[in-house]
Amino acid sequence: MKYTDILSKMTIEEKAAFLSGKGEWQTREFERLGIPSIFCSDGPHGIRKQAGAGDHLGLNASLPATCFPPAATIANSWDQELGQTLGETLGEEAMALGVNVLLGPGLNIKRSPLCGRNFEYFSEDPYLAGKMAASYVRGIQSKGVYACPKHFAVNSQELRRMAMDSVVDERTLREIYLTGFEIAVKEGGAKTIMSAYNEVNGTYANENKHLLKEILRDEWGFDGIVITDWGASNDHALGVAAGSNLEMPNPGLDSARELIAAVESGKISMADVDARCDELLDAVMTLYVNAQNRKEEFDKNTHHAIARKAAAESAVLLKNEDSILPLKKGARVAIIGDFAFVPRYQGAGSSLVNPTRVETVADMISSYDLQVVGMSRGYSRNGQEDAETRKEALDLAQKADVVLFFFGLNEDSESEGMDRTHMRIPQNQISLLQELGAANANLVGIISAGSAIEMPWHHHFKALLHCYLNGQAGAGAVLDIITGAVNPSGKLSETIPRRLEDTSVYRYYPSRERTSEYREGPFVGYRYYDTAGVPVLYPFGFGLSYTSFEYSDISVNESGVTFTITNAGDREGAEVAQMYVTLSGSRIFRPSKELKGFAKVFLKPGESKKVTIAFDDKTFRYFNVKTDRWEIEEGKYTVKVGPCSTEIKLSAEVSKSGTTDTYPYSKEELPSYYSGKIENVPDAEFEKLLGRAIPDGKWSGNLSSNDAICQMYYAKSGLARFAYKCLTSRKKKADDSGKPDLNILFIYNMPFRAMAKMTGGAVSMEMVDGIVQIVNGHFFGGLGKVIGGYFRNGKKNRIYENKIQGRG
Ligand code: BGC
């Protein structure tokens, strides 16, 4: 241990208190010991430093900071250098705003397009997500601020996210849900990590020794601190024993008392407490020193320009018939769509940034060489039909050479705390685009949406540019692409399926009760569509350019694949070359191909470049559940290279010798997995894959402190059912108004115990137990506990506070 000197002076009360937060964002300081406090802030695509009262849902305004495009957008750039630059810029702003730990990037796997937080996550593919996350982490940490990759792990659903058990087999866990974090830790060098709300295979992520100790610390060599998600701690003592350092945000001293009691009863050892304190001390002391002499300002203009470049590099051109884009100079255009006036540039929830400024297409269009015949909002944002505006838009469409239609998902579709129930855009936008298409054949669509949407209407457009959510400087980026100042080079980091019903998890997501069964195994995103032969609208890795690229001369050796890319067009541009690996005739089941490398290459017209993509430790490995380690299956692997997952231009074979002949699966027992047709995996087969019985996910009996508030419809107490009804009706009212209430959503999905974990000591776990008793129909017993607990808690808090203030 590094800080034995300080540790030897700390009392057990100080140690226990040190391991949980003070207020919404800070750690506790101890003047006597020279231990300062550090400050954490969201979020991954901009700094959300709250100056006034703290809340963690983005409700209270934060200090102005640059709002960069979120992870879902930047992943489409496939550009790790850009990721690093963004990280550096974020680190600089964090430092200027007095933030020591930046709570991001988020890199959960996009298991379903419905997850409300997909806009905050990079990809459906762990390799791409991990590489991009690692680049952010390197950038952020190079400025003396710690990055905090989140949410570790298997947290791909918002519904009841705090009261959910993700049931997943070990191989899928390792290959799909942990690989991205592994890259962020090993290659990015992340110094903190945020444990997720959910349980993983029956144990809370924050108490999960397998995740936090065996894998994160022992296998990956993580030497930083684990911070709980806000309110994610269940049993703090078990968390500490498993390797978790800091319980956030502000459980008060109840949880510190819990820790002391656990040491006294022998439930956990003092050595665990000391080890966690030592790790936390290292982080706090280092971050404190890093922040000395910090600059309190950042260059808003330069950062805005970086945000614009990032948005331009990340937009994906999905379609461009007759090369309608880029527009000809002086083209007569109609600008239609509310998003051209009020852009949709970031998602909602804890990542909400208060931008330094926001540009709009309507304001910026005049600085481009285009003749604007008129602008109209076209549709109303709340989904209501508006005949007058629609007519205005259609009239304009008839007068223009080209119609630029700005549309997509409304704010209410993408937010932390909720999942979408469908993948459609609002019907009023669909009706309008159909009419616009009939009025003017030169219809160009500019989409804003942080996640995949159904596009049954795509044939109405000659060109489609998917901008995802492109940050505060997105408008200029879009106009640069449309007019040809920038050649698009983004490629989809997730598949756009034809219909929600085509997704592999259609029947499994979101889970209804206590457990979320990952029955699809590793067949997520393109791994499924590709293997099961399900046609998609736009495949993973797809994106067009204004120029064209040719691939030639592949060769492969032990260390990697080399090939040549030529820019065969007349504009400079960038190509994202992707390397997929396949093993046909494999003895284990596998997706038909998997991304194992990529390179973004910039080329002048006519230029050729030799590109090498190196193999790494992940290229040929699979996780063998029988030997419990990463193995290589012996065989002749095909290395495939191309511009997209479904368009392979070159391939070559490489032989690998294997590390074992103990194979874990039998084809007869796992037919769905061997065929990739995993839409309806029977219980017995999922059980085989899991290697144990499927846990019972049904609710029955009494509610516990770990059940979510929204489960009160099961409550025995009429009062609790009434409270549930009131909450539900408030939630519905907010949802119907088009502006979901994040507070209500949070309360709805949170477990009872979170009342004690997030109220700064006002509520103790004893009081929570009382409340749960009331909910379960034992009104008087429960009330007694709440009242008695209230006084006992107050008294104990005072005694403890005095002790750590040196007064007792
Ligand atoms: C979110 C985290 C976030 C934290 C603090 C939680 O609800 O899940 O991503 O960092 O709040 O705002």
Side-chain angles (χ1 to χ4, degrees):
M1 278 192 292
K2 207 165 158 188
Y3 292 86
T4 41
D5 187 33
I6 301 184
L7 283 170
S8 67
K9 292 188 198 125
M10 284 176 99
T11 62
I12 188 166
E13 284 82 9
E14 284 165 332
K15 288 178 186 171
F18 184 46
L19 295 179
S20 57
K22 173 192 88 172
E24 197 61 37
W25 305 112
Q26 279 151 286
T27 61
R28 286 178 194 277
E29 72 271 61
F30 297 88
E31 238 176 80
R32 179 181 87 81
L33 300 156
I35 304 174
S37 161
I38 53 165
F39 202 101
C40 310
S41 261
D42 288 304
H45 63 271
I47 314 302
R48 188 169 69 86
K49 165 102 189 260
Q50 288 184 317
D55 72 85
H56 78 289
L57 296 172
L59 304 176
N60 294 332
S62 48
L63 298 172
T66 313
C67 179
F68 298 96
T73 315
I74 300 299
N76 296 325
S77 75
W78 298 60
D79 186 342
Q80 297 173 72
E81 258 176 55
L82 174 68
Q84 177 137 353
T85 306
L86 286 172
E88 286 162 7
T89 319
L90 286 163
E92 213 179 298
E93 292 197 21
M95 199 46 114
L97 295 171
V99 170
N100 309 102
V101 178
L102 184 53
L103 302 173
L107 66 150
N108 292 105
I109 291 295
K110 299 184 194 203
R111 183 180 173 220
S112 162
L114 297 182
C115 174
R117 283 186 99 167
N118 274 0
F119 71 90
E120 278 189 67
Y121 301 146
F122 289 105
S123 180
E124 65 190 25
D125 180 85
Y127 193 84
L128 177 58
K131 289 284 178 180
M132 293 307 296
S135 69
Y136 271 61
V137 172
R138 281 193 295 270
I140 293 168
Q141 296 194 162
S142 72
K143 299 292 171 181
V145 171
Y146 282 177
C148 186
K150 64 189 187 184
H151 310 87
F152 190 66
V154 211
N155 176 193
S156 296
Q157 171 180 321
E158 287 300 284
L159 182 72
R160 281 191 299 279
R161 60 184 171 151
M162 299 171 85
M164 179 62 60
D165 180 10
S166 300
V167 179
V168 59
D169 68 281
E170 185 70 17
R171 176 172 168 215
T172 303
L173 173 73
R174 300 286 195 135
E175 293 184 14
I176 304 294
Y177 295 95
L178 297 188
T179 292
F181 285 98
E182 180 184 355
I183 298 172
V185 167
K186 286 200 202 156
E187 297 177 25
K191 295 295 283 182
T192 82
I193 208 149
M194 187 186 287
S195 56
Y197 284 128
N198 48 287
E199 291 169 80
V200 179
N201 293 327
T203 308
Y204 281 98
N206 188 58
E207 293 161 22
N208 202 310
K209 275 204 169 132
H210 184 48
L211 285 182
L212 300 187
K213 202 167 175 320
E214 291 166 10
I215 298 177
L216 177 67
R217 290 195 191 270
D218 297 349
E219 267 183 43
W220 300 348
F222 175 77
D223 63 354
I225 57 165
V226 174
I227 304 177
T228 70
D229 197 346
W230 269 225
S233 170
N234 163 53
D235 182 325
H236 188 36
L238 291 183
V240 166
S244 171
N245 301 79
L246 184 60
E247 174 177 355
M248 288 301 283
N250 50 354
L253 294 163
D254 191 34
S255 138
R257 290 196 298 265
E258 220 178 78
L259 206 53
I260 296 175
V263 173
E264 285 167 357
S265 71
K267 178 173 162 186
I268 66 166
S269 72
M270 194 62 210
D272 282 328
V273 174
D274 282 341
R276 295 302 86 79
C277 283
D278 191 59
E279 289 147 4
L280 185 56
L281 277 169
D282 193 35
V284 168
M285 297 304 197
T286 310
L287 289 168
Y288 180 75
V289 172
N290 290 352
Q292 298 306 303
N293 310 319
R294 69 188 175 90
K295 275 215 258 160
E296 295 200 7
E297 275 177 2
F298 61 89
D299 182 343
K300 293 197 173 81
N301 290 333
T302 306
H303 290 193
H304 184 79
I306 294 173
R308 177 166 173 167
K309 181 175 179 292
E313 253 212 69
S314 307
V316 186
L317 184 64
L318 294 177
K319 181 172 181 181
N320 194 16
E321 282 171 9
D322 305 333
S323 299
I324 186 171
L325 292 181
L327 297 177
K328 297 200 175 54
K329 283 201 164 69
R332 299 174 67 252
V333 297
I335 307 291
I336 295 174
D338 198 37
F339 288 10
F341 298 82
V342 183
R344 180 79 224 296
Y345 63 98
Q346 64 172 328
S350 61
S351 68
L352 194 83
V353 176
N354 178 13
T356 56
R357 66 177 127 141
V358 181
E359 284 170 344
T360 72
V361 167
D363 287 342
M364 294 188 80
I365 188 102
S366 57
S367 44
Y368 288 82
D369 192 355
L370 295 170
Q371 281 185 61
V372 180
V373 301
M375 300 199 260
S376 164
R377 289 184 186 251
Y379 56 83
S380 82
R381 195 75 157 226
N382 59 13
Q384 308 232 299
E385 291 301 337
D386 179 344
E388 210 173 299
T389 321
R390 190 155 94 220
K391 181 168 180 317
E392 179 187 78
L394 291 172
D395 287 348
L396 279 181
Q398 272 155 1
K399 290 187 205 145
D401 295 340
V402 178
V403 175
L404 300 178
F405 183 49
F406 294 81
F407 69 113
L409 283 179
N410 287 342
E411 280 79 0
D412 58 350
S413 313
E414 296 179 285
S415 171
E416 177 175 341
M418 58 182 237
D419 297 309
R420 285 187 292 169
T421 52
H422 61 78
M423 289 175 64
R424 298 184 295 277
I425 58 167
Q427 184 53 45
N428 64 338
Q429 296 187 25
I430 299 179
S431 310
L432 179 60
L433 75 84
Q434 286 166 338
E435 286 176 297
L436 288 172
N440 191 323
N442 291 332
L443 181 61
V444 173
I446 296 100
I447 305 172
S448 297
S451 37
I453 52 176
E454 283 173 353
M455 304 182 185
W457 32 257
H458 77 127
H459 56 279
H460 290 285
F461 291 96
K462 263 211 172 140
L464 267 178
L465 183 67
H466 199 332
C467 300
Y468 274 69
L469 301 177
N470 53 12
Q472 67 176 50
V478 169
L479 290 168
D480 285 348
I481 292 176
I482 286 175
T483 55
V486 167
N487 188 354
S489 61
K491 305 252 187 171
L492 290 174
S493 52
E494 66 182 323
T495 310
I496 300 197
R498 290 187 177 178
R499 325 170 295 163
L500 174 62
E501 292 82 345
D502 291 343
T503 60
S504 64
V505 295
Y506 177 64
R507 286 191 182 74
Y508 313 136
Y509 188 101
S511 60
R512 305 267 163 243
E513 303 220 324
R514 283 184 207 275
T515 54
S516 175
E517 295 172 358
Y518 285 56
R519 288 198 185 218
E520 71 284 3
F523 296 98
V524 177
Y526 72 89
R527 284 174 166 75
Y528 165 67
Y529 304 115
D530 219 46
T531 314
V534 177
V536 302
L537 191 58
Y538 293 109
F540 176 78
F542 176 78
L544 301 170
S545 162
Y546 295 152
T547 185
S548 59
F549 300 99
E550 282 169 3
Y551 286 69
S552 59
D553 301 330
I554 190 168
S555 66
V556 61
N557 61 23
E558 266 297 292
S559 54
V561 60
T562 301
F563 51 95
T564 301
I565 304 186
T566 305
N567 181 345
D570 54 8
R571 281 171 181 272
E572 62 175 32
E575 169 69 327
V576 177
Q578 299 153 43
M579 175 181 85
Y580 296 88
V581 172
T582 295
L583 177 63
S584 53
S586 169
R587 298 183 52 175
I588 56 162
F589 64 82
R590 291 172 186 260
S592 64
K593 64 166 92 75
E594 295 185 278
L595 181 79
K596 297 292 182 175
F598 58 92
K600 189 155 188 172
V601 190
F602 294 82
L603 293 162
K604 297 212 160 49
E607 190 185 5
S608 291
K609 269 188 191 163
K610 214 177 205 196
V611 179
T612 296
I613 300 179
F615 299 150
D616 60 22
D617 59 328
K618 297 172 188 72
T619 313
F620 303 104
R621 73 178 192 180
Y622 79 97
F623 194 81
N624 187 328
V625 290
K626 209 159 193 176
T627 58
D628 198 27
R629 58 184 186 132
W630 293 102
E631 305 267 14
I632 292 176
E633 182 180 358
E634 179 170 332
K636 216 179 239 175
Y637 289 78
T638 311
V639 178
K640 301 176 170 177
V641 172
C644 149
S645 62
T646 54
E647 217 185 317
I648 298 306
K649 298 283 189 194
L650 306 167
S651 61
E653 291 192 331
V654 60
S655 292
K656 294 295 293 180
S657 44
T659 54
T660 181
D661 49 13
T662 311
Y663 291 104
Y665 308 119
S666 112
K667 207 169 184 167
E668 290 67 43
E669 286 176 349
L670 300 172
S672 315
Y673 297 101
Y674 272 87
S675 64
K677 297 197 186 302
I678 43 62
E679 310 81 23
N680 240 327
V681 175
D683 285 356
E685 196 177 341
F686 184 47
E687 240 165 47
K688 275 272 167 249
L689 181 74
L690 272 182
R692 61 192 164 98
I694 302 170
D696 183 8
K698 298 253 176 340
W699 283 311
S700 57
N702 284 339
L703 292 171
S704 81
S705 60
N706 282 339
D707 286 315
I709 304 273
C710 64
Q711 291 164 237
M712 279 201 302
Y713 58 77
Y714 273 129
K716 296 217 173 74
S717 144
L719 196 67
R721 286 199 304 275
F722 177 68
Y724 167 76
K725 271 195 192 137
C726 295
L727 198 65
T728 309
S729 96
R730 280 188 61 188
K731 177 180 169 298
K732 187 170 177 317
K733 221 164 157 189
D735 291 353
D736 291 349
S737 76
K739 202 170 180 302
D741 184 327
L742 297 180
N743 245 332
I744 299 272
L745 276 171
F746 189 81
I747 295 171
Y748 205 71
N749 288 315
M750 88 180 193
F752 292 95
R753 72 162 195 277
M755 293 183 208
K757 300 292 181 186
M758 305 188 74
T759 47
V763 178
S764 66
M765 277 309 288
E766 183 188 5
M767 291 161 72
V768 170
D769 286 344
I771 294 168
V772 173
Q773 268 186 22
I774 295 176
V775 168
N776 285 327
H778 308 288
F779 183 77
F780 292 106
L783 189 65
K785 237 184 188 172
V786 173
I787 297 173
Y790 174 79
F791 289 106
R792 276 188 288 277
N793 182 45
K795 191 171 166 202
K796 285 182 193 164
N797 280 347
R798 278 192 300 280
I799 296 174
Y800 201 130
E801 199 63 59
N802 283 340
K803 273 192 184 161
I804 53 177
Q805 298 300 336
R807 294 190 295 255

